[in-house]
Every structure is written in C-alpha cells, then in structure tokens.
Amino acid sequence: AYALRHLDEIRFIAVAEPRASRRENFAKVHGILPGRQFTTWEDLLAAGLQADVAFICTQDQQHTSPAMMALEMGYHVLLEKPMATTEAECRALVEKAQSVGRQLHVAHVLRYTPHFQRLRQILLSGVLGQIIHIAHAENVSWWHMAHSYVRGNWRNSRESAPMILAKCCHDLDILLWLTGDRCTWLSSSGSRLHFRPENAPQGAPQFCLEGCPVAHSCPYYAPRIYLDLAPVWQNMRDSTPNPFYRALFAFRLASPSLSRLLFSRLPLLRPLTDYRGWPVSTVAEPPTAENVRLALQSGPYGRCVYACDNDVVDHQVVNLTFASGVTATLTMHGFSALEGRTTRIQGSRGELRAFLGLAGGWIEISDFHSGRTQRFITGSDPTGGHGGGDAGLMRALVTALRSGGEALTLAQGALESHLLAFRAEQARLENRVIASPGD
C-alpha cells in the first residue's frame, strides 16, 4: 500500500508467491511483468534481477534461507519478525549482513508508530523523573488468540515459534528501546491453560459447522468471527478516540444491512461495505462470504478451538531487571475484550498510562506535584496499519537505503529482543531465573 501511494520512493518489480491467485493479484496491483512472477523464492533470486531490496515475508521458519541468499546476492533485506525461530539462525543473519555490508531491517513496526515515538519522547524529556518500573501488556483479544494461536499459523511451536517470540519480540524490543538499557535478569511463567480438549463443551464436534450444540452461546463459534465479523467491528468501535469513526463502527454493528447500502455509495466508506481484510483474508481466497463459509466446513479456521493441534501458551508473564535497576513486566494473554497494548510507567515525579489499539491510541501523564493530568491522542486512523507503524517503517527503510544511514530496527539492535524471547521461553520451561539474558 505504501508503494502505491509513494511511486517516487519505492516500486515492486518482481514477486514470488506459491498461491497463484495471490501472486496474480499482487502482480496486477503493482504492474509486475509476467516474466517477473515466480512460484518460489528460489526461482526469483535465481533470475538475477537488479533491485535494491528484497522483502522476506514467508512464514517464520522459512525466513533464514531466502534472507541469507538475498544478502549474499547483494540485496538489502527487509525481514518480517521474528527474524528466525532459533538463536543460531538469528545470529547467523546478523553476521551475514555485516560480512557482506548489506542492510538487514527487521519489521519491528511498533518503534515507528506515533504512539511509541511520543511515549519515548516523554520519557526522554524527564517529566516523569527517574523511571522506576514499567508494566507493559500485550492484550491479545480472545478472537485474535483463537484465530492466530489456536486455529492459525502460529498455533504450534514446532511449526512456527513459541508465542513469546512470534508475538512479543515486538514488545521486548519496545522495552529495550524505551529504557535504552540492557536487561541483566529475567524470569518467566505461563502455560496453555484454557484451549485444551478437556475444556470443550459437552457434545462439541470437530468443526463448528457440524452442528455445535453451543453455537448460540460460544464466543469462539467460527461463523460469528469470520462471517459476521462482529468482534472486529466491536474492537474498532471501542479503540478509536475519533468520534466520527466510532459512530461509523457503531452503525455498522447495529445495522449491518443498512450500513452496507449506505457505505457502498461513499468511496471513503466503501471498504466497510464488503470487508475482505484480516482476519478473513487468511481463511479463503478470495474471501467472499461464500468462499469463507465453504472454508469453515473443513479448513483449519472452522475447527472447534478445543479440538486443534495447538501447543503454544495462552498466557505468559516475563519479569525483567535492567542494568540501571529499573524493573519491568511483560504480560501476554489471549483473553482481552479489547485488542491492544497497555503501558504503565512509574517515575519519581509522575505516572504515565497509555493504550494503543486497532483504531487508535492515547497517553496520559499524571504529575505528582501539581496533581494535573495531560492526555495526548496518538493516533485515530483505523486504516493506518499497526497504528501507523507500517508506513513509518517504510519511510525509514527508503531513507536508510537512499542515505546509507541506519534505521531504528537494523538487525543488530533487533537481535537483543529475540535473545530475550529465547531466554524467556527457556526460563518458563525450566522454571528458573536467567542472568545476563541478552548476551
């Protein structure tokens, strides 16, 4: 989307994608010639095309090989997070980029959001005094948990990665960036407590559409999530600080048929008429109502959440101590009514409270001496992609490649958050404290 809006900055000239419909659609949108459309990344890189940067957007366990080859061939690389699913591969990627003199960027988009950039500016200003403690939470909504980490691609650590790495390398990176410090000690605990076969309702079938006896009351009933999309619209309504958007999403929830009719006549609102984005875009291709319903009959996203092959945790807490003495907690759980990240920072002169959700965010500062509270709106555009972080990452990438300078998330810096994630999972599994976890 950024490339389409900024044709003077970046242009895609080739694509590799095994699914024909997605490959053809991407090629059509970006004007990619037939001879530059490939089924595999191996074929694309073997073609010897001349370009500045390769985007590696494969599944987690498929990152390393294409990234290593692209770097070796002279491409700069933008790599999806997590960099890789093992510590050895993460380190190898950083070493390869350094040895060939190429930039390796990691898609830690949170650093580029107006929300977290404003939050960091507040910390650096000293208004909170000495920072004592940070309590940060990744509140994964119940339907997002079911979609990605119970039914979806990140449900099983053997096929993807531990959830603390796959989901929260973002958040560990933010804690390191906010403190500007090195973690010296961590511990962690958590488990898969709820999404287990023994918690299934009496008589629940393998697939929701096979006549589930609790379809009327189960929040995880697949058609409600993927056909009605009620949870998506509810989260958009409740997380935006913009009254206009809040009213639109409320109308969409209250009057689905009438809102579709009215929205279809207004170009700005047309995307809300027949929404085909995430999460339904992962269920069927193209994600029409008919295709989605068909996919739910026997596909992974139609499974009962208590009858999946998931093994990742559904809640986990990481306790961290930094070299300065600052302490922090990272809480990750999959049972939030509202999708979003909350941050609470205790300083010697004030307290900060913040929220970043699907459709916007805010920061509040309470000053101990005056008793006054300031509130800042840090984003209210629900189309901004990760709170504006997607566009921010792209701007930084283009700037770094043009100038040869550094962006905020070159791989050497991103590596430390990945090491913390690996150590947190080790601490959880071994039930112990780990010192110098970032070494």
Side-chain angles (χ1 to χ4, degrees), residues 62-63 101 107 180 242 279-280 330 363-364:
Q62 301 167 334
H63 283 177
N242 186 311
V280 291
L330 167 61
I363 298 172
E364 285 185 349

Side-chain angles (χ1 to χ4, degrees), residues 142 201-202 205 208-209 211-224 228:
W142 56 271
Q202 184 77 25
C208 291
L209 288 174
C212 181
V214 296
H216 64 286
S217 61
C218 179
Y220 304 103
Y221 184 60
R224 180 174 182 268
D228 298 343

Side-chain angles (χ1 to χ4, degrees), residues 65-85:
S65 294
M68 293 286 274
M69 183 174 291
L71 289 166
E72 187 67 43
M73 294 179 65
Y75 291 103
H76 301 291
V77 168
L78 174 63
L79 181 61
E80 255 296 357
K81 64 86 190 169
M83 297 165 60
T85 58

